[in-house]
Structures are given as structure tokens and as C-alpha cells.
Amino acid sequence: MKLKLRIWRQKNAQSPGALVEYPLDDVSPDSSFLEMLDLLNEQLLARGDEPIAFDHDCREGICGMCSLVIDGVAHGPQRATTTCQLHMRHYKDGDTITIEPFRARAFPLLKDLVVDRGAFDRIMSAGGFVSVNTGGAQDANAILIGKGEADLAMDAAACIGCGACVAACPNAAAMLFVSAKVGQFAHLPQGQPERQRRVLGMVRQMDQEGFGNCRNYYECEAVCPKQISVRFIAEMNRDWRRAAACHHEAAGSAGAG
Ligand code: SF4
Ligand code: FES
């Protein structure tokens, strides 16, 4: 099929950016969205033009690297689908598709469609781990965990850290991501010893990175490719308030939600 692509081109953070139009023929409906961009890049390279920079790694919906806003929606039109798992069969011959980067102050643009999501790594470093000795795999299996709690921990752990929740939020809040990373441990016994330190540290770092406050728009949940529920935001707010009261922490984003 034939497509008209409108793609955000920007040399670097300092240069002005603009949408540039590219016609693209012979797109297979069986190709993925990123394979379609590969096809365009091959053509750009063949005529000596600069290829379009975009992020990707696994192309299997598990790494969280792909990060495009497609026709105004983070990860595009298919619910619960990462950009790399979106296929061109969902488009029609003659369609125009607009492709932009994730836009948020805390995700500075590097080039074209690539943004720096290092803020998420720094939030994880501020507490998104278990540092107490939890033993080996057999020790973990020896601790019985109720099915409901185990399911909730697994649901939260499905977050791939893509940042679509931030890109979709009118306030560029990172609450869905942070709450999933807090929630995956809050529902497990191994997460209890550091529970308060974790939520305080991660929320503090989130605020320092310049993400906005949650105002319950629920746009995050709507675009999340892993269908992380906003219930984890409510849980994190409760956890944060309890921890802040114990540690006399000043009110931050979580406390305001
Ligand atoms: S909560 Fe969903 S949208 Fe946000 S980073 Fe995790 S997987 Fe991506
Ligand atoms: S490239 Fe890994 S989730 Fe899309």
C-alpha cells in the first residue's frame, strides 16, 4: 500500500524541529510499524539523505524502548500494543500517518523521534529494587503468597518502562510508571523491609526530575501497552502518606494526588 508519512525531524535539542512529509510505496500490510520505518530509512539512505532516528530494541513488546506518538496517541491506535507490535494491516492504502516523539519536559529530545528517558533510570536507582538478602529461588518459593497478592505483583511488574503514560498525560506525570514499580514490591513479602524508604525515595526523585502532578485524567491507563491499572497510583498514594507521616516528609506529588 501507499502511505503519506508526516514525521517530526529535529537535528538536536537546540535546533528547531518540524514535520516533514515522506511518501512511501509498497508497504506490506504484514510489516510492523517499525519495519515500515526501516523501509523508509533504506530509501533515505539510498539517496544519501539522513535516516530518521527512532528508538527500538526487542521489537517484541518487552523492552520498552519504542516510543512514538502516532496520530496523537502514544504507541498508536491499537490498545495494549507497543509501537513495535503495531502492524500495518491496521492501516489503509492512501492513509496519512503523523509520527512524533514522546513529548515531556522530563524526557528531553535527543534527535528526531528519540528522547532521553534517563529520568526513569534515576527513579529506579532511588529505590526500585530489593536490597535485603532474600535468599535463592528455592527460598522465594518457600514463602507462600496468596494468589490475589501474587497476581497484583505480577500485574505491576508487567510495566516495561516505556514512558507512554508520561507522553499521554496532559501534565506529563509519571505516576503510573512509579506506582507500578512501587506496587510490584508492595504486594510481596520481600518488598516489605524497604517499603517506606522505597516509596519516599522514588517519589522524591520523580518530583526532582520535573514530571507533573497526577490529576486523575486516566490518559496514562488508556495508552499503557501493558494495561497497568491506576489502582496502583491510589495504592502508592496511601503508601506514600503512611511513609511520609512516619518520616516527616514534606508533601510532594504523591501526597497531592
Ligand atoms: S505504566 Fe505502562 S505506559 Fe507507563 S511506563 Fe509502564 S508500561 Fe509504559
Ligand atoms: S522495541 Fe522493545 S517494546 Fe518495542
Side-chain angles (χ1 to χ4, degrees), residues 33-47:
F33 200 87
L34 297 186
E35 285 166 345
M36 180 273 293
L37 287 180
D38 290 340
L39 181 66
L40 175 61
N41 271 348
E42 282 166 17
Q43 295 183 7
L44 291 176
L45 283 165
R47 54 181 196 248

Side-chain angles (χ1 to χ4, degrees), residues 64 74-75 82 102 107 120 156 158-166 174-181 220-221 223-229:
H75 286 307
T82 54
F102 282 2
F107 289 165
F120 273 12
C159 168
I160 54 174
C162 62
C165 45
V166 175
M175 293 287 275
L176 195 65
F177 164 75
V178 180
S179 68
K181 297 303 181 186
C220 52
E221 188 183 69
V223 300
C224 176
K226 299 300 164 184
Q227 299 189 289
I228 303 292
S229 165

Side-chain angles (χ1 to χ4, degrees), residues 104-124:
R105 183 161 55 113
F107 289 165
L109 189 135
L110 296 176
K111 183 176 181 179
D112 294 338
L113 303 171
V114 178
V115 298
D116 178 359
R117 285 168 285 175
F120 273 12
D121 297 332
R122 291 187 289 276
I123 292 170
M124 292 304 285

